[in-house]
Structure formats: structure tokens, C-alpha cells
Amino acid sequence: MALSGFNVMVLAEDAVGACFITYGVIAGDEQQAAMLASGSAQAEGYWSVEVEEVWTPDDLDPADIGEIAEVLGRTDPVYLDEDELAD
């Protein structure tokens, strides 16, 4: 199975509140990428993890894709401001 690079945005929750986190993932397909990102978020201590979006980045160099399905990294959590959501 040929691997590709994906970005996976998840909505998760921790002791601070609900937040969005985007993971960079190497996987065989979007479903596997979503599963790897969800598992990584849960392993980091987040709960209520839901995959919001999976996409292939435009600027990905195929030479950067390894031979192992894995999570490469993530963004810092962006917490939802409940006051803004109420408007």
C-alpha cells in the first residue's frame, strides 16, 4: 500500500476546554490517517475526540513521505471561546 501525507483536524477536549488540533500524518488512506490522529489525541490525554476534517496538503513533497504509517506532529491546541460561540 502506497502511503500519503495527510492533515487531520480533530475537535477534542481537555481540562482547559474544547479545542481544535491538527495532526500531520503519514497513512495509506484518509480513514487510517483519522484513526492515527484520534489515537494520538487520546494518548495525549484528550477526550471527546472527533475528527472534523482530513485533507492532503498541497505543499507536500513526496520525498518527505516515509515507509511507515505514523503521526509526524501536531499544532498547538486552539481553544474555543465559549463567549464567541454564544453570539
Side-chain angles (χ1 to χ4, degrees):
M1 175 189 311
L3 299 179
S4 299
F6 296 94
N7 287 330
V8 181
M9 182 188 313
V10 299
L11 175 61
E13 191 171 343
D14 65 4
V16 176
C19 61
F20 285 107
I21 310 165
T22 302
Y23 290 86
V25 180
I26 300 295
D29 58 27
E30 288 185 3
Q31 183 178 6
Q32 184 183 34
M35 191 171 61
L36 288 169
S38 295
S40 184
Q42 290 172 349
E44 291 178 43
Y46 293 96
W47 60 85
S48 297
V49 176
E50 297 178 28
V51 174
E52 291 291 310
E53 186 177 0
V54 179
W55 71 95
T56 303
D58 294 331
D59 59 349
L60 182 65
D61 183 357
D64 292 339
I65 297 175
E67 297 178 12
I68 299 173
E70 63 182 323
V71 174
L72 299 175
R74 68 169 176 83
T75 62
D76 289 331
V78 177
Y79 289 93
L80 303 177
D81 186 352
E82 292 182 18
D83 294 334
E84 288 179 20
L85 292 178
D87 292 341

